[in-house]
Amino acid sequence: MAKELKDMTLEELWELFPIVLKEYRPEYKDWYVIEDACISGAVGEEHIVRISHIGSTAVPGLISKPTVDILLEITDDSNLESLKSALIGIGYVFSPQPKNPAPHMMFNKGYTPEGYAEKVFHLHVRYSGDWNELYFRDYLIAHSDIAEQYGKLKLSLQPGFEHNRDGYTEAKTEFIKIHTDKAREEFAGRHTPTTYQ
């Protein structure tokens, strides 16, 4: 019988869920749209400020881990325990993130004791804000040459960090910061809360 995920060490989890990179699939957009509706139905529109498809699967043509990253921005008065229960009810697993922005919550779907499911989601929950991930996504979409460079960087890192997610993420940080700063200049104010409320 397979060990439950909650009983595995970080090293065991990284072994079971290695860094896998795949060519872009147009279905990622469909996965996001369906999951957006599922999340909205569970959480309730009145608690949602904005839901966004972020990460590499949101950038057409970009090689990526086959994981759809979603940013869920909630109202300041949201009941966090009710939110957590609602998301667990639609198949998400709660992952506390004390280092992430408030309310320090992330949820995952698609991780099983046998490995990855067909569809994998990371749901990042935050209060509304002017988030870097939105700018970086937009910059890669607008600048295909930079997206291509980012894809090559990821491919170069994958062999050395196949079983070390933290190391893989850290190794991309400088590239992401440089281009997020450029994106904030080019798209200044695009994602501030006042522009979409």
Side-chain angles (χ1 to χ4, degrees):
M1 185 172 143
K3 195 187 239 186
E4 287 191 42
L5 298 181
K6 66 181 180 60
D7 297 325
M8 291 185 183
T9 65
L10 188 58
E11 290 73 22
E12 288 173 322
L13 289 168
W14 282 349
E15 190 68 31
L16 184 60
F17 303 110
I19 300 294
V20 175
L21 296 174
K22 295 191 176 182
E23 294 297 325
Y24 176 79
R25 295 172 60 183
E27 305 95 280
Y28 292 146
K29 183 177 180 181
D30 299 330
W31 294 7
Y32 164 72
V33 169
I34 292 166
E35 201 64 20
D36 177 328
C38 188
I39 293 164
S40 297
V43 172
E45 296 280 355
E46 68 275 16
H47 302 295
I48 297 172
V49 177
R50 174 173 57 176
I51 302 182
S52 305
H53 186 183
I54 59 171
S56 294
T57 59
V59 181
L62 180 57
I63 194 164
S64 66
K65 298 193 303 292
T67 302
V68 173
D69 283 277
I70 300 172
L71 175 60
L72 169 62
E73 295 175 75
I74 58 173
T75 59
D76 291 345
D77 62 353
S78 294
N79 182 307
L80 299 182
E81 284 306 313
S82 294
L83 174 84
K84 182 177 166 184
S85 295
L87 292 170
I88 289 171
I90 58 169
Y92 280 94
V93 174
F94 174 57
S95 174
Q97 299 290 314
K99 294 182 181 178
N100 283 8
H104 316 294
M105 301 173 88
M106 183 173 165
F107 295 82
N108 303 312
K109 185 190 276 190
Y111 292 85
T112 79
E114 291 75 39
Y116 294 112
E118 179 190 355
K119 297 177 184 175
V120 180
F121 299 93
H122 288 174
L123 179 61
H124 310 262
V125 179
R126 299 183 190 164
Y127 296 117
S128 65
D130 193 35
W131 300 110
N132 284 340
E133 292 89 342
L134 299 168
Y135 288 92
F136 185 60
R137 174 202 65 194
D138 290 358
Y139 197 77
L140 294 180
I141 290 171
H143 300 275
S144 58
D145 57 326
I146 304 302
E148 185 177 348
Q149 287 177 33
Y150 187 46
K152 287 178 180 175
L153 172 64
K154 291 195 286 184
L155 284 170
S156 73
L157 295 172
Q158 192 267 345
F161 293 101
E162 182 179 8
H163 299 288
N164 182 351
R165 279 179 182 259
D166 290 349
Y168 176 76
T169 300
E170 180 62 31
K172 298 184 298 176
T173 299
E174 183 179 359
F175 183 97
I176 292 170
K177 183 183 182 326
I178 288 168
H179 296 290
T180 298
D181 289 346
K182 291 178 180 178
R184 283 190 170 276
E185 288 180 22
E186 184 171 334
F187 307 125
R190 176 181 281 188
H191 296 294
T192 55
T194 55
T195 62
Y196 60 84
Q197 287 183 339

